[in-house]
Amino acid sequence: MGISSSHTENGIIEVTVDYPPVNAIPSQGWFELAKAITAAGEDPDARVVILRAENRGFCAGVDLKEIQRAEGYNALVAANRGCAKAFAAVYDCEVPVIAAVNGFCLGGGVGLVGNADIIVASDDATFGLPEVDRGALGAATHLARLVPQHLMRTLYYTARNVSAQTLHHHGSVVEVVPRAQLDDAAREIAKEIAKKDTSVIRAAKEAINGIDTQRVHQSYRFEQGFTFELNLTGVSDHARQAFLDGNHARQANDS
């Protein structure tokens, strides 16, 4: 359980997120994910990184329970900084990062995927930012890399989800496959890239980042400032508790 890395053939490194049941990542987990991805990119034998997940979905975002039960704002600050580190690690990774998305991809999951180089998704994958319902803001920076501007705003304000098929239509998801074929689909693309001259691919990654029009690191930290402001006013605490109470009630009814 946690964050793990494995070396496969031809310089392909797979980084796996595994926080059952829904991959709500605790603050320390975000830092560990950042370290794993950074280390993978710095490995001289690495050619491609695949970011994948076990469990019911790719990522449910931050662990709200951790933040809600903590005294003061230390857990919130840690989660904010951890997310920023992890998102930046994906973007700055020295080799291309392929995100293999299964099931739901929410909140921080969108931050990871939005900064990836290539996205492959299972046919049951959905993407969304429920931040406004949790009293937080963030990852609009990354959602804007996946869908057009007005759709991004609609999804952000309403907290609606969007399907992998819709993202494929907009060109941000390169391939949609049955869940059982997801890992293989990501590996096939990785193998294709791994055959290239790694010096050229590493230079290409740096060059593409250098011409990017969106300053993803700064814009995301700007968003996070409003999250902290909402927490200082008490709005976020009430929103998180309402969500956790509702989620607990749903689980009780299901049982």
Side-chain angles (χ1 to χ4, degrees):
M1 189 179 78
I3 306 298
S4 61
S5 298
S6 61
H7 290 65
T8 64
E9 58 184 324
N10 302 324
I12 299 169
I13 299 178
E14 296 188 358
V15 177
T16 300
V17 177
D18 184 8
Y19 287 96
V22 296
N23 287 329
I25 304 177
S27 56
Q28 187 57 38
W30 291 103
F31 287 103
E32 291 173 3
L33 180 56
K35 289 179 182 177
I37 294 171
T38 299
E42 291 174 347
D43 186 334
D45 294 326
R47 292 173 176 268
V48 188
V49 172
I50 296 175
L51 177 59
R52 60 178 302 281
E54 296 290 344
N55 305 309
R56 289 164 48 191
F58 180 78
C59 180
V62 302
D63 185 350
L64 293 180
K65 293 180 181 178
E66 177 188 41
I67 295 174
Q68 198 64 3
R69 65 174 173 257
E71 296 289 337
Y73 298 107
N74 287 341
L76 173 67
V77 172
N80 279 0
R81 288 188 175 275
C83 283
K85 287 282 188 184
F87 301 171
V90 172
Y91 187 83
D92 293 328
C93 184
E94 295 179 27
V95 297
V97 176
I98 301 171
V101 182
N102 62 295
F104 48 80
C105 178
L106 303 173
V110 170
L112 296 170
V113 169
N115 270 358
D117 296 279
I118 298 168
I119 307 166
V120 179
S122 59
D123 54 13
D124 64 345
T126 57
F127 303 75
L129 292 179
E131 308 330 78
V132 295
D133 288 343
R134 313 289 192 265
L137 298 178
T141 291
H142 310 92
L143 185 59
R145 298 168 70 82
L146 302 176
V147 298
Q149 178 70 208
H150 287 88
L151 178 55
M152 180 275 287
R153 289 173 180 256
T154 301
L155 296 174
Y156 202 74
Y157 297 145
T158 63
R160 293 178 185 173
N161 293 339
V162 64
S163 68
Q165 291 81 0
T166 298
L167 294 192
H168 182 262
H169 169 76
H170 289 294
S172 48
V173 168
V174 69
E175 192 172 354
V176 180
V177 299
R179 183 180 285 211
Q181 299 174 20
L182 179 61
D183 285 335
D184 287 341
R187 289 164 185 159
E188 283 303 310
I189 297 174
K191 289 176 184 177
E192 186 176 350
I193 296 171
K195 292 177 182 178
K196 312 293 185 184
D197 186 320
T198 188
S199 296
V200 176
I201 293 298
R202 286 172 179 262
K205 174 68 184 277
E206 185 174 357
I208 291 172
N209 280 3
I211 63 172
D212 202 338
T213 58
Q214 190 169 20
R215 299 167 64 86
V216 294
H217 304 333
Q218 292 89 337
S219 59
Y220 177 59
R221 291 296 278 167
F222 178 80
E223 290 184 74
Q224 285 186 324
F226 290 95
T227 295
F228 200 74
E229 182 178 299
L230 289 168
N231 274 270
L232 289 174
T233 60
V235 172
S236 298
D237 184 67
H238 292 299
R240 278 194 303 270
Q241 193 59 52
F243 166 74
L244 292 173
D245 290 344
N247 197 40
H248 180 73
R250 285 190 294 272
Q251 290 174 352
N253 289 333
D254 290 341
S255 62

